[in-house]
Amino acid sequence: MTEITLHLNGTQAAHTVEPRQTLADFLRDRCGLTATHLGCEHGACGACTVVLDGQAARSCLQLAVMCDGRSIQTLEGLRADPVMEVLRRHFHESHALQCGFCTPGMLIMGRDILQRYREPDAQTIRHELSGQICRCTGYAGIVDAIVAAGREIGTATR
Ligand code: FES
Ligand code: FES
């Protein structure tokens, strides 16, 4: 077992982890942060996306020990995030979820896109979401929601 220190959802704490435990399993099984979903477990679907040192990252591809000293935010830690609040509302209004399995990863990637692009268009969003899989194929609503959220945030900051 190895001791690591994480800044997780705003709280810094030490944890003891097995060297081969993935960050995704650590978050779900040890921390109870089950908004981080596991689909493919090999980096192909994006369901496990979290924010690692401020950038979207796949938690199934990281070992927890590799995250020693780093900052991690899961969907649970973004409840009060102003961009996430706008995104959640537009996901609801655009019917951007069906079973909801991909939704945490889509929301975190949507937030990441809106932090990198001002008022991104649908083509840009589709390109940026190309690594996120929705098994219900609800992509149209997801793209619409991120476009609308980008417009609202852009208008508010003009
Ligand atoms: S579970 Fe991590 S990318 Fe699919
Ligand atoms: S809403 Fe079901 S996988 Fe995307």
Side-chain angles (χ1 to χ4, degrees):
M1 299 292 269
T2 303
E3 183 160 300
I4 60 171
T5 301
L6 297 179
H7 193 74
L8 176 57
N9 289 339
T11 302
Q12 183 143 326
H15 305 269
T16 305
V17 296
E18 287 183 31
R20 67 178 186 174
Q21 186 169 42
T22 66
L23 177 61
D25 285 340
F26 171 77
L27 292 171
R28 288 177 57 82
D29 300 341
R30 293 282 305 282
C31 304
L33 296 169
T34 53
T36 302
H37 289 172
L38 273 171
C40 66
E41 300 190 50
H42 62 90
C45 75
C48 65
T49 305
V50 298
V51 184
L52 182 58
D53 289 338
Q55 294 188 324
R58 285 160 194 235
S59 58
C60 72
L61 295 183
Q62 311 280 335
L63 294 174
V65 289
M66 294 163 62
C67 299
D68 185 28
R70 302 178 75 180
S71 164
I72 297 158
Q73 286 173 293
T74 65
L75 198 62
E76 291 93 338
L78 293 166
R79 279 195 187 99
D81 179 81
V83 174
M84 196 58 90
E85 188 278 324
V86 175
L87 264 176
R88 278 198 308 262
R89 179 158 37 77
H90 283 288
F91 265 60
H92 177 72
E93 290 173 3
S94 298
H95 308 291
L97 61 156
Q98 294 176 57
C99 78
F101 191 84
C102 69
T103 308
M106 291 289 187
L107 283 168
I108 289 182
M109 185 54 76
R111 176 179 178 270
D112 190 77
I113 293 168
L114 295 179
Q115 287 184 321
R116 290 183 287 117
Y117 296 93
R118 186 182 173 90
E119 298 187 44
D121 60 19
Q123 190 177 358
T124 302
I125 293 167
R126 278 195 203 99
H127 176 76
E128 290 288 335
L129 285 182
S130 59
Q132 307 290 126
I133 293 176
C134 174
R135 294 181 298 183
C136 302
T137 67
Y139 297 104
I142 293 166
V143 172
D144 287 350
I146 300 173
V147 168
R151 283 199 191 124
E152 180 176 328
I153 291 165
T155 304
T157 55
R158 237 172 241 146

